[in-house]
Every structure is written in C-alpha cells, then in structure tokens.
Amino acid sequence: MPAAAGDPLSPALRSLLATLRLRPRHAPGRQGIGHHASRNRGSGLEFAQYRAYESGDEPRQIDWKLYARSDRFFVREAERDSPVRAWVLLDTTASMAQADEAAPTRRRFDVGRLLATCVYEIAQRQGDACGLVLCGGAGVALETPGIGPRQRDRLRHALDRVDPRGEWPHATALAPAWGRIARGDLVVAIGDWFDDAAVEQLVQLARAGREVIAIRVLTADERDFPFADGRRFVEPESGESLLGDGPVLRADYLARFEAASRALAARLAAAGIRLATQWTDAPPDAVLRNLFGERA
C-alpha cells in the first residue's frame, strides 16, 4: 500500500518502524530516566497529542474513553526530558544528486532523505529528542533536537526545502554545529562517504565521545557498473571527467570499488562507528533492522 498524500512513509514502513529503537551503546544519563527500549508512557508525563493506533503500539496506550466516544483506536503520546538525544547528519553535497541510469528520478539524496525521516520517526515514537544537521554546498544548517509534532514538522520542512549541491563544507564551517552535538549524543550520519574530509569529520566526532552510526547510500550503478558503451564519467563535485569504455573498465573498477569499501569500513570500525550500506534500488527495511532492530 502506498503512503498517504504528503506522507513519505508507507503503512508497511511505518509498521516496521514501530518495532525499531534507537539504542545507544552507552546511556548518557544526563536527563530523564536513562536508556530505555520503549516509548513514553505512564504518569508524570506531559500530554503531547493523540494519534491513530498503529501496528506495534501497546494496547495499554489506547485511550479507551476516546474509543468509546469515537469507535476508533487512538493512543496518547507524552513528552518528557529525553534520556537519548539523537542527530541526523545528512550529506547534501552534489554527489548526493546522483541517480541510476535505469531510474533517473531515484536520486541518492531521495533515499537518504527517506532514511533521515525514518530515524526521526523512530525517535519520535520512543519519545527521544532528535535534531538535524545538513552539510553541503549551501553550508551547514542545523535544527536543534526536540520532540513532539511541531519538531516533526520542522524537520520535514527542512528536508523538503534542501537540494544537494556543492562540496562538503570546510572544517571551520562545521565547528559551530559540531559544538552543539554534546558528548554522549547519538549521531546517525547519512551520505555516500566518498569524501575523505567528510569521513574524517565522522571519525573526529566519534573520538570526541559522540556515538556515530554511518549509513552509506550508494547507487546500483556504482555496485554493478552496467555500462556497455563508451562514455564520459564525470565527478559531480569537482567536475573532473574520465573518458572510457564501460566493458573495458568494469573489472578494474569493481576491484577498486570493493577495496575502497573495505578500507572505509575498517577506518570507521577503528573509530567505533557502525556502518551499513543502503542501495538505491533496495527498500530500507534490511538496513533499518540491522541498525535499530532487536539484534542490533
């Protein structure tokens, strides 16, 4: 079933998100009641909103008095000081505009934006604050972590109005935003991670006590190199190009790509960063389960 108009998440994907949790390896313990594996509920919480019951919600969250009046199931959502503060860091550089030749309207950035929305929805459901950092040619844009429906609207609006362009910002431009990400915060970084400077920033965040999860979004063309003719290959950020024959280049390209991917994984693992790869021609379910499911 497709998503409702204006909603980027299909009912099936929403049902999956209801089973997932943001689980930092180390509970920050600076606010709230500490690390948890369930959404807000119980007494002593500030009521935020009603929403329609979804698969995965616990029956005790249902407002039975409202059900008696409306004959529909609604659950109560509440707000509290959050024990987990999460950030979605999204690469908005020009390379994120790349798409597969067979599906030119399916950009890498659109897949990254969907993943960003999923991460926020998981945080929203469990009552944890989530913010957003956008890094690209337009500079650095930041949305402070928050909870509730207004925060959801702010993040969606920020994601909708941005378009990938330019190169990764210089470290000096990133410093103010990095200073807002506190020690112990969870950072879910989404991008292609081809830029060495961008990868180094993730490593520095992890070494400074931030927990970093990296999701690498790659195209099917990068995985398969299906080109059967001669063409000019252009690097979208630098403009550098290479004229070559697809079949002749394929074996060497695939070997180099695999070696570079292994090197990136090893570099991130050495810094304690979890890495998952999302292909543009695959649904996000497997990556989300791998990072945020029960076995994560």
Side-chain angles (χ1 to χ4, degrees), residues 161-173:
R161 69 175 183 244
V162 69
D163 206 46
R165 62 186 177 91
E167 299 180 341
W168 185 262
H170 190 272
T172 55

Side-chain angles (χ1 to χ4, degrees), residues 218-280:
L218 298 175
T219 67
D221 287 352
E222 288 165 338
R223 178 191 64 211
D224 303 329
F225 205 75
F227 311 111
D229 55 8
R231 63 180 59 213
R232 185 178 298 277
F233 299 93
V234 181
E235 208 289 320
E237 294 179 19
S238 68
E240 296 180 4
S241 63
L242 170 67
L243 186 62
D245 182 79
V248 173
L249 294 174
R250 186 172 190 272
D252 183 60
Y253 163 82
L254 292 176
R256 289 173 178 266
F257 185 77
E258 177 63 24
S261 296
R262 288 198 303 266
L264 173 65
R267 182 180 179 184
L268 295 179
I273 298 174
R274 287 180 281 171
L275 172 67
T277 299
Q278 173 66 52
W279 302 100
T280 53

Side-chain angles (χ1 to χ4, degrees), residues 50-63:
Y50 285 109
R51 63 169 172 79
Y53 176 85
E54 298 174 3
S55 176
D57 288 329
E58 298 181 16
R60 58 180 169 178
Q61 290 181 269
I62 297 173
D63 189 308

Side-chain angles (χ1 to χ4, degrees), residues 4 7 19 28 37 43 66 87-88 102 109 137 141 151 156 158 217 272 285 290:
D7 186 352
T19 69
S43 60
L66 186 59
W87 297 81
V88 175
F109 180 72
Q151 179 71 357
R156 283 189 178 179
V217 183
D285 305 42
N290 180 42

Side-chain angles (χ1 to χ4, degrees), residues 42-291:
S43 60
L45 303 176
E46 180 182 352
F47 172 71
Q49 65 172 351
Y50 285 109
R51 63 169 172 79
Y53 176 85
E54 298 174 3
S55 176
D57 288 329
E58 298 181 16
R60 58 180 169 178
Q61 290 181 269
I62 297 173
D63 189 308
W64 295 106
K65 291 182 179 179
L66 186 59
Y67 168 75
R69 297 196 301 270
S70 64
D71 200 31
R72 294 179 60 192
F73 291 117
F74 291 92
V75 298
R76 295 173 61 92
E77 289 190 335
E79 297 183 359
R80 58 151 166 76
D81 288 338
S82 174
V84 176
R85 194 167 78 154
W87 297 81
V88 175
L89 192 163
L90 181 61
D91 180 355
T92 63
T93 59
S95 64
M96 291 295 286
Q98 188 170 341
D100 291 313
E101 192 170 78
T105 61
R106 186 179 60 214
R107 302 178 301 169
R108 192 200 314 270
F109 180 72
D110 298 321
V111 176
R113 182 161 50 189
L114 175 62
L115 288 166
T117 301
C118 289
V119 172
Y120 174 67
E121 288 293 331
I122 296 171
Q124 168 83 359
R125 291 182 65 89
Q126 68 186 45
D128 288 328
C130 187
L132 177 68
V133 183
L134 303 172
C135 298
V140 181
L142 182 144
E143 293 287 342
T144 302
I147 56 180
R150 290 184 179 179
Q151 179 71 357
R152 173 193 284 139
D153 292 343
R154 281 192 291 268
L155 297 191
R156 283 189 178 179
H157 180 64
L159 289 171
D160 286 343
R161 69 175 183 244
V162 69
D163 206 46
R165 62 186 177 91
E167 299 180 341
W168 185 262
H170 190 272
T172 55
L174 291 166
W178 270 208
R180 299 284 297 278
I181 302 175
R183 186 176 182 85
D185 283 359
L186 173 64
V187 180
V188 181
I190 303 170
D192 55 38
W193 309 127
F194 287 123
D195 192 309
D196 184 74
V199 175
E200 181 59 25
Q201 289 295 317
L202 300 188
V203 171
Q204 292 300 324
L205 277 174
R207 289 176 176 169
R210 284 71 173 168
E211 182 172 346
V212 181
I213 295 174
I215 303 179
R216 194 180 194 199
V217 183
L218 298 175
T219 67
D221 287 352
E222 288 165 338
R223 178 191 64 211
D224 303 329
F225 205 75
F227 311 111
D229 55 8
R231 63 180 59 213
R232 185 178 298 277
F233 299 93
V234 181
E235 208 289 320
E237 294 179 19
S238 68
E240 296 180 4
S241 63
L242 170 67
L243 186 62
D245 182 79
V248 173
L249 294 174
R250 186 172 190 272
D252 183 60
Y253 163 82
L254 292 176
R256 289 173 178 266
F257 185 77
E258 177 63 24
S261 296
R262 288 198 303 266
L264 173 65
R267 182 180 179 184
L268 295 179
I273 298 174
R274 287 180 281 171
L275 172 67
T277 299
Q278 173 66 52
W279 302 100
T280 53
D281 64 346
D285 305 42
V287 164
L288 293 171
R289 286 195 185 97
N290 180 42
L291 292 174

